[in-house]
């Protein structure tokens, strides 16, 4: 697998870019070196850019966080988050999984993620026996962010009550300032082991790409999707027929270290069942 040192060669082949956020644009606290400059160079060349994240929050909250890092709205055409898609599904109730859900959510996650139900007729409870479904947005600071173990009593109580789970972030882990932390997808895995029904909203499900592709308004062969995670970013890109570009930052950087060989990348891609077009050392010009 070829490893590019710069995103510049990709600008010659593609008119639109789908960019993962966490692990590609920033490390959870600050942008990776060169990212603002790379985005400005792409925009100067009239490239269309949509950010697609498995963040379990509404898109506007992610936009505010990015602006606080110096990545303003002028650097992209839109943001789509799994939380935004989940909010729409919970509002409309037309999807067969969402149609029968009640209005009382047993929330597992921090309060800051509750934008996913803002303005909706849904109440939150910490009592599984009083709930209609599980709203899983990921770990909180109270119980820790490194292991599923502290959350097992909550998951077991929900499973015992027979609650269906809505997982608003399929990611299993994320890197935050060099530390590997669990995400909502880790809870979903354990809940399924307990026999609980789960729907995961986010990459790699093609459904979350619908708004992204409509916003880009380009033929699939002129679009590249850049992400650090084979299971979600690369698999999702392939599922909708756009070229996958493997960013070697974020989880990929944690897995391989700073200088992976092309052979190591090929072997891991084969294990994951993905075929990225190329790898990208980092999103810089």
């Amino acid at each position: 697998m070829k490893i590019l040192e710069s995103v510049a060669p990709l600008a010659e082949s593609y008119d639109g870019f789908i960019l993962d956020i966490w692990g590609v644009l920033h490390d959870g606290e600050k942008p990776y070196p060169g990212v603002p400059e790379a985005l400005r160079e792409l925009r100067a060349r009239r490239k269309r850019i949509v950010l697609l994240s498995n963040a379990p929050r509404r898109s506007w909250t992610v936009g505010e966080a990015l602006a606080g890092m110096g990545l303003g709205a002028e650097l992209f055409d839109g943001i789509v988050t799994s939380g935004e898609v989940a909010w729409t599904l919970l509002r409309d109730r037309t999807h067969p999984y969402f149609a029968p859900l009640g209005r009382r959510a047993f929330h597992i996650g921090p309060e800051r993620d509750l934008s996913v139900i803002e303005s909706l007729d849904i109440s939150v409870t910490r009592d599984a026996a009083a709930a209609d479904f599980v709203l899983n947005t990921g770990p909180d600071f109270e119980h820790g962010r490194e292991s599923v173990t502290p959350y097992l009593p909550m998951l077991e109580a929900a499973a015992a009550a027979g609650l269906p789970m809505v997982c608003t972030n399929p990611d299993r882990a994320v890197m935050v300032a060099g530390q590997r932390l669990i995400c909502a997808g880790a809870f979903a895995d354990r809940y399924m082991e307990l026999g609980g029904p789960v729907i995961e909203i986010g990459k790699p499900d093609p459904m979350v790409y619908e708004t992204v592709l409509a916003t880009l308004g380009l033929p699939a062969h002129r679009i590249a999707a850049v992400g650090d995670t084979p299971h979600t970013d690369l698999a999702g890109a392939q599922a909708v027929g756009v070229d996958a570009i493997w960013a070697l930052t974020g989880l990929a950087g944690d897995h391989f270290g700073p200088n992976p060989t092309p052979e190591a990348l090929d072997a891991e891609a084969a294990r994951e069942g993905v075929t990225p077009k190329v790898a990208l050392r980092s999103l810089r010009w």
Side-chain angles (χ1 to χ4, degrees):
M1 187 181 307
K2 186 176 182 180
I3 301 175
L4 300 179
E5 299 295 331
S6 163
V7 73
L10 298 177
E12 300 174 6
S13 303
Y14 301 101
D15 299 315
F17 292 84
I18 303 170
L19 303 181
D20 184 31
I21 298 177
W22 211 314
V24 172
L25 299 188
H26 66 71
D27 67 356
E29 294 186 352
K30 62 184 184 304
Y32 291 115
V35 164
E37 295 79 7
L39 292 176
R40 291 190 189 100
E41 290 289 347
L42 289 171
R43 297 298 273 172
R45 288 158 177 77
R46 300 184 179 276
K47 304 302 179 181
R48 297 189 63 79
I49 299 171
V50 176
L51 311 183
L52 178 59
S53 171
N54 276 352
R57 296 174 289 282
R58 297 287 304 277
S59 296
W60 69 265
T61 69
V62 173
E64 286 189 348
L66 289 173
M69 296 181 185
L71 301 175
E74 74 280 1
L75 297 176
F76 44 84
D77 294 285
I79 303 173
V80 176
T81 67
S82 56
E84 189 73 32
V85 176
W87 181 86
T88 302
L89 292 166
L90 286 165
R91 180 196 64 187
D92 296 345
R93 304 287 177 134
T94 54
H95 188 286
Y97 190 93
F98 287 81
L101 294 181
R103 300 288 174 173
R104 295 169 298 176
F106 176 56
H107 181 217
I108 301 177
E111 287 190 14
R112 67 186 177 92
D113 291 344
L114 288 178
S115 65
V116 74
I117 58 169
E118 65 182 353
S119 76
L120 302 181
D121 181 23
I122 295 175
S123 61
V124 173
T125 177
R126 293 291 181 176
D127 179 8
D132 300 312
F133 70 97
V134 182
L135 179 64
N136 169 19
T137 65
D140 55 40
F141 290 98
E142 178 184 352
H143 298 87
R145 304 168 70 191
E146 298 178 0
S147 171
V148 174
T149 301
Y151 299 86
L152 286 179
M154 288 179 272
L155 296 170
E156 290 167 350
L163 302 181
M165 174 182 283
V166 175
C167 174
T168 60
N169 179 355
D171 290 348
R172 271 58 184 171
V174 69
M175 296 301 296
V176 179
Q179 183 181 13
R180 189 182 183 95
L181 303 175
I182 60 170
C183 294
F187 297 159
D189 284 345
R190 192 56 183 267
Y191 200 65
M192 286 187 281
E193 291 174 1
L194 293 169
V198 175
I199 187 169
E200 296 184 357
I201 308 301
K203 297 175 283 186
D205 188 343
M207 177 175 59
V208 302
Y209 289 82
E210 293 174 3
T211 300
V212 175
L213 296 175
T215 301
L216 289 173
L218 296 165
H221 73 277
R222 299 299 300 174
I223 299 172
V226 183
D228 64 311
T229 309
H231 174 70
T232 54
D233 301 313
L234 306 186
Q238 290 184 188
V240 296
V242 303
D243 285 347
I245 311 299
W246 197 354
L248 302 181
T249 44
L251 287 170
D254 179 63
H255 180 78
F256 291 109
N259 293 300
T261 65
E263 292 76 18
L265 296 177
D266 287 338
E268 183 67 13
R271 281 191 290 270
E272 292 283 352
V274 294
T275 53
K277 192 77 171 178
V278 294
L280 179 64
R281 191 81 64 186
S282 65
L283 190 71
R284 58 193 177 204
W285 193 254

